[in-house]
């Protein structure tokens, strides 16, 4: 190839013209001195030619480097495919010892067999989406995955991909001329990308005890849309209802076990209200539909009460990892270089996904804390947090006793020292105010509320448009362009935001998005659940504004990981001025140091599964629905099952079999065993009741919610 050729040396200089001295005796003779000069010049020319021939250019080095990398990659790939299938397991066992049997194999040996049909409900972003109709830039992509799989189109035609993955900013439905639909079947969410499992491990283990496609159903839906709009456009809720009824009728009347994950937990909560509600708003199944068709709902990593991470995503298109990348390479994600403007395009796209608004924190300051308190107050971010916290199993469904009454580590709200198994441990989180979910400046996050002077932003006049001179800004409109310098300053001058004021903040900076979202979601606490207004679908995914179904024999589980530092609150700053910019960003320079290690890179961390804090995943089953409450009038039994995170011991273990991370927990052997046992007929009592490692019961008692 031309690019791989070495640069050619220039031709040697021509020999000097022959002497015109006619006094010479013969035209073909020359002096010995002239012959020596000619020989020296020839040698010098040859030396220069060899030097230039051996010289390498930068392009040569780059090409050879790429060639070596590609050759090594293909050699490794060939070796991997040529080796026996059992070789990786042999190497792993040689290093770590014999591997335990997968849960399906173990339970098959115990004699367990498939009994109850199972329904999987995937969460946000884990389900595949494919193109059915698109614009000219998407030619050749009919029924090709735009989301999931290899994500090849992101690299080939990024702006076209963003255009087709976005929804209409007015309706929350398809933009004109575009139809993107969910992939159907078990393949919709078994793998997120090649080699990155989501449901695949659980499906494979269920198959070990006899499950197959007729007894397993993936309730795929377009996770970008509001929950009710999936019914309006695709009749997804009706399809789920029909498939569950079919599975029950074709399996001897055995009720289904439903297994939602992540945002799928909220989606199925919405479904349970929809299926009972009368048509046309609901499914017309009647008040006993859930009791007749559902044995158990096993929620995995459920953000019942929302996640602070959703606020950061909507406010600045960031999370902890994105903020770090933005700090390491300042200006790259915000840059207009080559017209990429990455963060603005991400924000424009994700702000059309109404589903993201379902995960805004619910319950306000009552649940998440105020300026000077939070349920997790005094939490220590030390990795030794769970060293003495043995699993607590409670078989008394309405029990008030739990491990938090034992002699394990505990502190009061102010973080005072207490005795821990004979040792005195001083809290390192005395200044953590998790209730201040967004603070402008580290000093604001740590200052007593009485000393914070807030200037109300709600009445601020927006103006002095920040993007008036650049027409390209309108192509990636994010609503910040209408905020103006006055509005931006007003947001920062308010200084600190709790869960209650966050809603006003989002309405101020993104009014169009929140106006659309407020038609589909609600974030409050119901005073009177019998009020007819709560029959409207916008309340159906908020567990604090609905009653559980009238199904006393049904069971509800909350299964989630603990022991991983999880985003809980943020320190923000104003971004440097620029055209088309996002004016706010996480202040990654804000760190707590040795005495306050819960603050890392501008993010306050608490216990959770890396995405959902323990408080959101566990509160409803630990207290809100525990026993007969106004949210659970029929007394459905609830169980909290926590899985303490243990990372893989080495790279050969992949993502591990004891992980508590939000997605990796889908491969956790202990969780899979619990799910299979319930699907095979076990109850929560058979599993041993609650299994708790965190302080969820203690934190729940600090929440003053009328039950």
């Amino acid at each position: 190839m031309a690019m791989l050729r070495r640069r050619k040396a220039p031709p040697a200089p021509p020999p000097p013209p022959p002497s015109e001295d006619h006094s010479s005796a013969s035209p073909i003779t020359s002096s010995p001195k002239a012959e020596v000069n000619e020989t020296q010049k020839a040698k010098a020319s040859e030396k220069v030619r060899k030097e230039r021939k051996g010289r390498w250019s930068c392009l040569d080095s780059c090409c050879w480097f790429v060639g070596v990398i590609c050759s090594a990659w293909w050699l490794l790939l060939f070796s991997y495919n040529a080796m026996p299938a059992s070789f990786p397991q042999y190497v792993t066992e040689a290093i770590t010892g014999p591997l335990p049997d997968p849960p399906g194999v173990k339970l098959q040996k115990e004699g367990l067999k498939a009994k109850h049909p199972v329904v999987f409900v995937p969460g946000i972003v884990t389900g595949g989406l494919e193109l059915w109709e698109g614009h000219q830039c998407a030619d050749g992509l009919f029924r090709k995955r735009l989301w999931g799989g290899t994500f090849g189109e992101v690299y080939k035609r990024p702006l076209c991909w963003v255009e087709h993955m976005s929804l209409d900013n007015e309706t929350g439905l398809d933009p004109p001329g575009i139809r993107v639909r969910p992939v159907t079947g078990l393949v919709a969410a078994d793998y997120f990308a090649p080699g990155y499992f989501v449901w695949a491990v659980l499906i494979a283990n269920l198959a070990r005890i006899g499950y197959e496609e007729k007894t397993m159903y993936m309730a795929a839906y377009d996770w970008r849309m509001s929950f009710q709009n999936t019914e309006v456009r695709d009749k997804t809720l009706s399809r789920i209802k029909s498939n569950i009824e079919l599975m029950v009728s074709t399996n001897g009347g055995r009720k289904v076990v439903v297994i939602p994950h992540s945002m799928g937990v909220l989606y199925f909560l919405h479904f349970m209200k929809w299926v009972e509600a009368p048509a046309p708003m609901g499914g017309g199944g009647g008040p006993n539909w859930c009791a007749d068709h559902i044995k158990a709902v096993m929620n995995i990593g459920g953000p019942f009460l929302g996640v602070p991470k959703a606020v950061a995503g909507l406010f600045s298109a960031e999370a902890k990892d994105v903020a770090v990348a933005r700090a390491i390479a300042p200006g790259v994600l915000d840059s207009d270089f080559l017209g990429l403007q990455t963060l603005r395009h991400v924000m424009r796209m994700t702000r059309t996904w109404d589903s993201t608004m379902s995960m805004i924190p619910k319950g306000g300051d009552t649940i998440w804390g105020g300026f000077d308190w939070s349920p997790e107050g005094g939490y220590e971010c030390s990795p030794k947090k769970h060293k003495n916290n043995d699993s607590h199993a409670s078989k008394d469904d309405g029990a008030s006793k739990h491990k938090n009454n034992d002699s394990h580590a505990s502190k009061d709200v102010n973080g005072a020292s207490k005795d821990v198994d004979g040792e005195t441990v001083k809290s390192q989180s005395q200044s953590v105010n998790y209730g201040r979910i967004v603070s402008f400046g580290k000093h604001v996050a740590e200052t007593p509320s009485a000393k914070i002077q807030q200037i109300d932003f709600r009445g601020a006049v927006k103006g002095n448009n920040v993007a008036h001179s650049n027409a390209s800004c309108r192509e990636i409109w994010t609503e910040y362009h209408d905020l103006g310098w006055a509005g931006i300053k007003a947001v920062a001058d308010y200084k600190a935001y709790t869960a209650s004021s966050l809603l006003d903040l989002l309405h101020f900076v993104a009014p169009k998005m929140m106006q659309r979202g407020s038609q589909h979601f609600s974030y409050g606490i119901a005073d009177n659940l019998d009020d007819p207004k709560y029959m409207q679908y916008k309340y159906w995914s908020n567990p604090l504004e609905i009653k559980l179904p009238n199904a006393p024999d049904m069971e509800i589980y909350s299964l989630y990981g603990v022991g991983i530092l999880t985003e809980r609150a943020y320190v923000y700053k104003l971004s440097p001025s620029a055209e088309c910019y996002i004016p706010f960003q996480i202040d990654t320079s804000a760190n707590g140091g040795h005495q306050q290690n819960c603050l890392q890179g501008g993010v306050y961390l608490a216990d959770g599964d890396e995405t959902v804090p323990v408080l959101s995943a566990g509160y409803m089953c630990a207290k809100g629905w525990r026993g007969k409450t106004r949210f659970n009038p029929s007394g459905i039994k609830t169980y909290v099952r926590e899985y303490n995170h243990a990372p893989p011991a080495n790279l050969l273990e992949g993502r591990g079999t004891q992980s508590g991370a939000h997605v990796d927990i889908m491969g956790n052997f202990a969780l899979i065993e619990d799910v299979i046992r319930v699907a095979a007929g076990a109850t929560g009592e058979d599993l041993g009741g609650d299994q708790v490692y965190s302080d969820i019961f203690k934190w729940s008692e600090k929440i003053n919610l009328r039950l």
Side-chain angles (χ1 to χ4, degrees):
M1 292 172 61
M3 292 181 64
L4 296 179
R5 294 178 187 151
R6 299 184 178 91
R7 290 196 302 180
K8 296 181 179 179
S19 174
E20 297 183 1
D21 186 2
H22 299 289
S23 64
S24 174
S26 171
I28 60 172
T29 60
S30 60
S31 66
K33 184 176 180 180
E35 291 180 356
V36 170
N37 289 339
E38 290 295 332
T39 303
Q40 290 176 344
K41 288 179 179 180
K43 289 181 178 180
S45 177
E46 182 66 21
K47 182 178 180 181
V48 170
R49 188 186 300 108
K50 289 182 178 180
E51 287 179 353
R52 292 187 176 182
K53 186 176 180 181
R55 188 181 301 165
W56 286 73
S57 68
C58 180
L59 179 62
D60 294 327
S61 300
C62 291
C63 291
W64 274 100
F65 177 75
V66 171
V68 169
I69 294 297
C70 291
S71 299
W73 169 254
W74 285 110
L75 180 61
L76 290 172
L77 189 63
F78 173 79
S79 301
Y80 178 79
N81 287 289
M83 72 174 64
S86 60
F87 184 74
Q89 181 178 348
Y90 172 79
V91 174
T92 303
E93 291 184 351
I95 296 174
T96 64
L99 296 176
D101 284 338
V105 175
K106 173 186 173 183
L107 298 179
Q108 182 189 37
K109 292 177 180 178
E110 292 183 14
L112 269 67
K113 296 186 180 299
K115 184 175 182 181
H116 294 277
V118 295
V119 177
F120 309 117
V121 187
I124 192 169
V125 311
T126 55
L129 299 173
E130 60 188 18
L131 183 69
W132 281 79
E133 180 185 1
H135 294 161
Q136 186 176 358
C137 67
D139 285 348
L141 297 181
F142 176 67
R143 294 205 65 198
K144 298 289 183 63
R145 288 200 182 197
L146 292 186
W147 188 272
T150 61
F151 287 91
E153 300 311 315
V154 179
Y155 312 108
K156 295 177 183 177
R157 28 191 158 184
L159 296 183
C160 181
W161 180 83
V162 168
E163 178 185 9
H164 285 75
M165 282 297 299
S166 300
L167 294 170
D168 187 273
N169 206 32
E170 299 287 342
T171 65
L173 298 171
D174 291 322
I178 294 176
R179 282 188 295 151
V180 175
R181 298 292 181 265
V183 178
T184 58
L186 295 178
V187 297
D190 54 351
Y191 287 91
F192 175 65
Y196 192 91
F197 70 81
V198 183
W199 294 91
V201 176
L202 178 57
I203 292 171
N205 279 278
L206 283 165
R208 290 282 190 174
I209 67 166
Y211 279 91
E212 50 190 288
E213 196 140 11
K214 69 181 181 183
T215 50
M216 292 190 288
Y217 167 59
M218 182 71 71
Y221 60 99
D222 191 335
W223 44 261
R224 301 172 300 162
M225 303 173 66
S226 71
F227 304 155
Q228 191 68 12
N229 272 347
T230 64
E231 174 66 13
V232 171
R233 193 193 72 180
D234 299 335
K235 301 298 180 185
T236 303
L237 298 174
S238 295
R239 293 172 185 271
I240 295 174
K241 176 177 179 282
S242 297
N243 275 284
I244 290 177
E245 291 171 345
L246 178 64
M247 295 176 80
V248 171
S249 64
T250 57
N251 283 276
R254 296 189 182 100
K255 301 175 187 179
V256 299
V257 172
V258 184
I259 311 168
H261 173 243
S262 189
M263 191 187 75
V265 168
L266 302 180
Y267 188 76
F268 195 75
L269 198 62
H270 180 99
F271 170 83
M272 287 194 293
K273 294 302 293 183
W274 172 88
V275 75
E276 293 182 341
M281 186 184 296
N288 296 321
W289 191 93
C290 291
D292 294 338
H293 294 87
I294 301 175
K295 174 192 186 296
V297 183
M298 306 192 75
N299 302 289
I300 302 175
F304 288 104
L305 302 176
V307 288
K309 206 171 189 176
V311 174
L314 293 171
F315 189 51
S316 61
E318 289 180 294
K320 185 174 184 292
D321 296 337
V322 175
V324 170
R326 202 175 176 186
I328 292 174
V332 173
L333 294 179
D334 299 297
S335 174
D336 295 339
F337 178 65
L338 297 179
L340 293 180
Q341 302 160 339
T342 308
L343 279 182
R344 266 84 74 206
H345 283 297
V346 169
M347 176 173 279
R348 184 193 73 169
M349 177 177 68
T350 56
R351 279 192 173 183
T352 68
W353 297 350
D354 289 350
S355 63
T356 57
M357 288 179 276
S358 72
M359 293 183 288
I360 293 174
K362 303 175 177 70
D365 297 357
T366 301
I367 298 294
W368 295 93
F371 271 91
D372 295 311
W373 82 279
S374 65
E376 308 100 318
Y379 173 74
E380 294 180 23
C381 292
S382 167
K384 298 180 180 180
K385 172 66 184 172
H386 297 310
K387 68 177 182 178
N388 293 322
N389 286 359
D390 299 328
S391 168
H392 167 73
S394 171
K395 293 190 177 183
D396 179 6
D397 188 62
S400 60
K401 69 171 188 174
H402 36 71
K403 78 173 185 57
N404 301 307
N405 294 329
D406 299 337
S407 59
H408 300 308
S410 62
K411 295 166 290 300
D412 59 24
V413 175
N414 298 318
S417 301
K418 286 201 173 184
D419 186 69
V420 183
D421 291 345
E423 299 180 12
T424 299
V425 176
K426 185 176 181 180
S427 169
Q428 297 184 3
S429 303
Q430 296 180 18
S431 300
V432 175
N433 296 307
Y434 289 120
R436 305 177 193 183
I437 297 179
V438 169
S439 302
F440 277 88
K442 178 184 174 184
H443 65 287
V444 173
E446 298 173 345
T447 302
S449 59
K451 297 183 179 180
I452 298 177
Q453 294 182 350
Q454 293 179 291
I455 301 176
D456 198 348
F457 64 93
R458 296 172 182 87
V461 178
K462 301 179 183 180
N464 298 326
N465 198 298
V466 299
H468 66 277
S469 63
N470 192 339
S472 67
C473 292
R474 291 292 170 181
E475 298 176 5
I476 48 172
W477 178 74
T478 63
E479 295 197 75
Y480 278 132
H481 308 139
D482 299 328
L483 190 59
W485 299 116
I488 292 170
K489 185 176 184 300
V491 168
D493 286 345
Y494 195 71
K495 294 185 173 60
Y497 297 83
T498 64
S500 295
S501 54
L502 274 176
L503 293 174
D504 293 332
L505 170 65
L506 292 175
H507 275 284
F508 185 76
V509 301
K512 179 170 285 190
M513 177 192 74
M514 291 301 291
Q515 181 182 8
R516 202 176 62 244
S518 63
Q519 298 173 11
H520 294 276
F521 304 107
S522 180
Y523 312 99
I525 300 174
D527 291 325
N528 178 14
L529 289 168
D530 294 322
D531 189 325
K533 78 173 185 178
Y534 293 111
M535 290 302 296
Q536 214 271 342
Y537 61 77
K538 66 180 287 184
Y539 301 102
W540 291 349
S541 59
N542 182 357
L544 301 175
E545 294 181 307
I546 60 170
K547 297 178 183 179
L548 286 178
N550 181 28
D553 295 330
M554 193 171 83
E555 296 178 328
I556 295 182
Y557 297 78
S558 188
L559 318 174
Y560 56 90
V562 296
I564 307 179
L565 296 180
T566 302
E567 297 174 38
R568 179 61 172 82
Y570 302 90
V571 176
Y572 267 88
K573 67 178 181 179
L574 292 178
S575 302
S577 299
E579 294 279 358
C580 302
Y581 76 132
I582 296 174
F584 312 109
Q585 69 180 89
I586 295 173
D587 184 1
T588 54
S589 67
N591 289 287
H594 178 70
Q595 293 300 317
Q596 194 192 80
N597 55 6
C598 286
L599 176 59
Q600 299 178 14
V603 180
Y604 281 103
L605 304 167
D607 198 4
D609 68 359
E610 205 170 33
T611 297
V612 182
V614 165
L615 186 68
S616 180
Y619 173 77
M620 292 309 298
C621 282
K623 184 179 179 183
W625 290 331
R626 185 58 61 104
K628 283 191 176 184
T629 70
R630 66 190 185 104
F631 303 109
N632 180 18
S634 67
I636 295 172
K637 292 184 178 180
T638 62
Y639 299 95
V640 175
R641 302 282 294 177
E642 295 182 345
Y643 304 88
N644 204 4
H645 175 70
N650 55 66
L651 292 176
L652 294 174
E653 289 188 16
R655 289 154 64 191
T657 60
Q658 301 178 65
S659 176
H662 188 64
V663 177
D664 294 354
I665 198 173
M666 302 295 283
N668 184 299
F669 278 12
L671 179 143
I672 292 173
E673 182 175 336
D674 286 348
V675 169
I676 294 177
R677 288 189 183 278
V678 172
T683 66
E685 299 292 333
D686 297 329
L687 297 183
D690 296 326
Q691 174 180 278
V692 178
Y693 298 94
S694 73
D695 289 330
I696 182 57
F697 284 108
K698 184 179 76 174
W699 294 340
S700 297
E701 290 302 319
K702 295 179 183 178
I703 295 174
N704 185 21
L705 178 65
R706 182 172 63 87
L707 300 175

